[in-house]
Amino acid sequence: MIDPCSLEAKPLLSLDDALTGIRTAIKAVAGEERVALKKALGRVLSEAVYSPINLPTSRNSAMDGYALSSIDINPKQPFVLRASGISWAGKPFQGELQAGQCIRIFTGALLSAPTDTVVIQEQVKVDGDHIVFPATVVAGENVREAGEDIAKCGLLIKQHKKLTAADLGLLASAGIVDVLVKPKINIAFFSTGDELIGGGQPLEPGKIYDSNRYMLAGLLADPCYNAVDMGVIADDRQLLEDTIKQAAKHNDVIITTGGASVGDADYIKDILAQCGEVKFWKIAIKPGKPLAFGNIGPCYFFGLPGNPVSAMVTFQQIVAPALIQLSGAAANKPLRLMATCTTALKKSRGRQDFQRGILTQDTDGNFFVESTGHQGSHILSSMSRSNCYIILPAEANGVSAGDKVWVEPFSVFI
Ligand code: AMP
Ligand code: MG
């Protein structure tokens, strides 16, 4: 098989080089805003947050049982203490404990001096208010110490963290009600193509329904992004130029699909060159070779290919990391793992390939991946049915069933 990229005048840019170019070009959005904790999920912390209190706030019981002072422990034989009060979670024992006494205690209840040990209720015998403890009691057991999770003034959450549900819980546990986060990124996106119509319109000969805007709206559904759908713009050079110039005035990012290749109606790259700067255009990945990246003043521009699978692959591999960097979030690369490929895969040398696959794991934990079938960049069902990319290096020349391949999972749903 001959890859058309072997006919290119200039060698194509590798994905790694494109990502390096993006890392160099993109600066995190400036400024910050204060938001209520309940509105902060998925937003990016603009400053480190330190705990104003100890977590746990004070020494408390890890179990339901009986609290005692370790002085009263008899390590040689079972011993008896008198139950002289109760410490509930939220309603601590108010009295003073004397030698030879213990208190009934519940999980999360305050453990006040001199008690320092909790014996779980399953290990004691209760005889009226006489509690019989075994000789095996260990001083300090079943106790949560004040500050053992995070000490007062200790780091709660790092700067640049994209806040998760667990983070919100942790911040709330320290009594924090609002946080400083990076501003949202304003993103305008539109489709280009005379053939595109919206849902609900009659399908005239030669027309197709626009799928990319719906896909992009989904991909951009993130608390860090204000994404504005600008509709379909016809293959009209002046109209495209006016639309792009206008959008660049009000947005941090413009994303278009279609018209980025070399056809007579593909104006996107030329408009970018005329109104701003093209940083790179063609990338050695399949699908998704034509991708114009650059900027118009401070507004970053991504001109994605029109074929829906190419648009999605280039979004996930190039635009998504760029938007993460712009949002100010710290992130790792997506996880990749090795799987045994159960189907043969066709590939010609030259470009890194992102084939759509279905990843499964057997009961022994081994990973297997099968192709979704036809890999054309217009076969959107292959994208919809897949749960991972099978990533084949540029120099690879096909895969036989049973070969090991790298996969990048992106969904647990089937
Ligand atoms: P282009 O990149 O404009 O040459 O388009 C490449 C292919 O993708 C053509 O078959 C287009 O009809 C198709 N295409 C472009 N934009 C869209 C879209 N928004 N939704 C579905 N297909 C599209
Ligand atoms: Mg087009």
Side-chain angles (χ1 to χ4, degrees):
M1 256 198 299
I2 294 211
D3 188 300
C5 79
S6 60
L7 308 172
E8 293 281 338
K10 277 202 297 182
L12 303 178
L13 193 67
S14 72
L15 178 60
D16 280 349
D17 287 346
L19 289 172
T20 306
I22 290 214
R23 268 194 300 277
T24 320
I26 291 189
K27 305 276 168 282
V29 62
E32 57 193 10
E33 62 186 11
R34 192 166 284 282
V35 296
L37 203 52
K38 275 194 178 164
K39 300 263 179 197
L41 182 67
R43 300 294 299 274
V44 175
L45 266 189
S46 73
E47 62 173 14
V49 179
Y50 297 87
S51 183
I53 55 175
N54 275 324
L55 293 174
T57 47
S58 41
R59 179 188 268 183
N60 69 88
S61 178
M63 302 295 276
D64 294 330
Y66 291 84
L68 52 99
S69 162
S70 52
I71 292 169
D72 287 329
I73 295 173
N74 184 341
K76 300 209 173 76
Q77 59 186 51
F79 57 97
V80 177
L81 300 175
R82 246 189 76 220
S84 308
I86 304 181
S87 188
W88 304 88
K91 278 181 275 164
F93 173 64
Q94 301 287 6
E96 266 195 30
L97 203 73
Q98 309 298 325
Q101 295 183 337
C102 64
I103 56 168
R104 181 78 169 113
I105 197 161
F106 298 101
T107 306
L110 210 70
L111 204 71
S112 47
T115 61
D116 58 5
T117 302
V118 172
V119 180
I120 64 173
Q121 60 196 37
E122 291 82 352
Q123 288 180 352
V124 303
K125 283 200 207 95
V126 179
D127 178 9
D129 60 357
H130 285 79
I131 313 298
V132 185
F133 292 89
T136 51
V137 174
V138 177
E141 68 183 348
N142 300 314
V143 170
R144 302 163 170 171
E145 294 297 345
E148 75 175 11
D149 184 359
I150 294 178
K152 186 176 175 177
C153 300
L155 180 67
L156 263 184
I157 304 191
K158 287 190 287 195
Q159 190 186 22
H160 306 305
K161 177 96 197 276
K162 188 172 173 75
L163 293 172
T164 62
D167 294 332
L168 298 192
L170 182 61
L171 289 162
S173 75
I176 287 165
V177 294
D178 51 31
V179 281
L180 275 177
V181 295
K182 299 299 286 177
K184 292 189 179 207
I185 304 166
N186 295 313
I187 304 172
F189 64 99
F190 61 86
S191 297
T192 71
D194 287 341
E195 72 279 33
L196 303 175
I197 55 169
Q201 287 179 258
L203 203 55
E204 308 282 343
K207 301 287 179 186
I208 60 168
Y209 290 118
D210 176 5
S211 48
N212 291 352
R213 275 186 306 127
Y214 291 84
M215 217 162 55
L216 274 182
L219 290 164
L220 293 169
D222 184 291
C224 287
Y225 311 149
N226 274 325
V228 177
D229 180 349
M230 296 179 69
V232 175
I233 310 294
D235 289 318
D236 172 320
R237 202 195 141 117
Q238 195 56 51
L239 182 61
L240 279 167
E241 188 179 320
D242 295 345
T243 308
I244 288 171
K245 276 186 180 160
Q246 196 57 25
K249 285 187 196 152
H250 307 289
N251 290 282
D252 304 299
V253 179
I254 299 172
I255 304 172
T256 65
T257 64
S261 194
V262 291
D264 287 353
D266 291 340
Y267 302 120
I268 291 292
K269 185 223 160 196
D270 288 349
I271 293 172
L272 180 60
Q274 191 191 316
C275 306
E277 189 191 347
V278 180
K279 292 237 165 31
F280 56 75
W281 178 33
K282 289 183 183 174
I283 299 176
I285 63 171
K286 188 180 176 188
K289 179 176 69 174
L291 179 141
F293 167 63
N295 63 287
I296 299 161
C299 177
Y300 299 106
F301 186 96
F302 297 89
L304 307 187
N307 273 307
V309 178
S310 312
M312 180 123 183
V313 169
T314 47
F315 182 94
Q316 290 185 316
Q317 296 302 322
I318 294 173
V319 183
L323 294 182
I324 289 171
Q325 185 168 332
L326 186 56
S327 73
N332 285 320
K333 286 185 183 172
L335 292 179
R336 291 182 180 179
L337 51 92
M338 273 271 175
T340 304
C341 195
T342 58
T343 39
L345 306 176
K346 283 193 201 148
K347 182 186 179 300
S348 45
R349 287 203 176 92
R351 287 188 278 166
Q352 191 178 7
D353 207 342
F354 289 82
Q355 303 208 6
R356 276 69 66 209
I358 300 167
L359 178 67
T360 51
Q361 190 172 23
D362 69 9
T363 47
D364 293 329
N366 302 306
F367 292 111
F368 295 93
V369 67
E370 69 174 298
S371 170
T372 53
H374 191 341
Q375 294 290 312
S377 54
H378 60 299
I379 306 288
L380 193 47
S381 64
S382 78
M383 193 81 241
S384 162
R385 286 193 293 116
S386 62
N387 63 1
C388 69
Y389 289 122
I390 304 170
I391 302 170
L392 305 177
E395 65 279 8
N397 190 19
V399 165
S400 306
D403 284 356
K404 295 270 188 200
V405 289
W406 282 107
V407 303
E408 188 174 291
F410 48 66
S411 176
V412 293
F413 300 108
I414 51 174

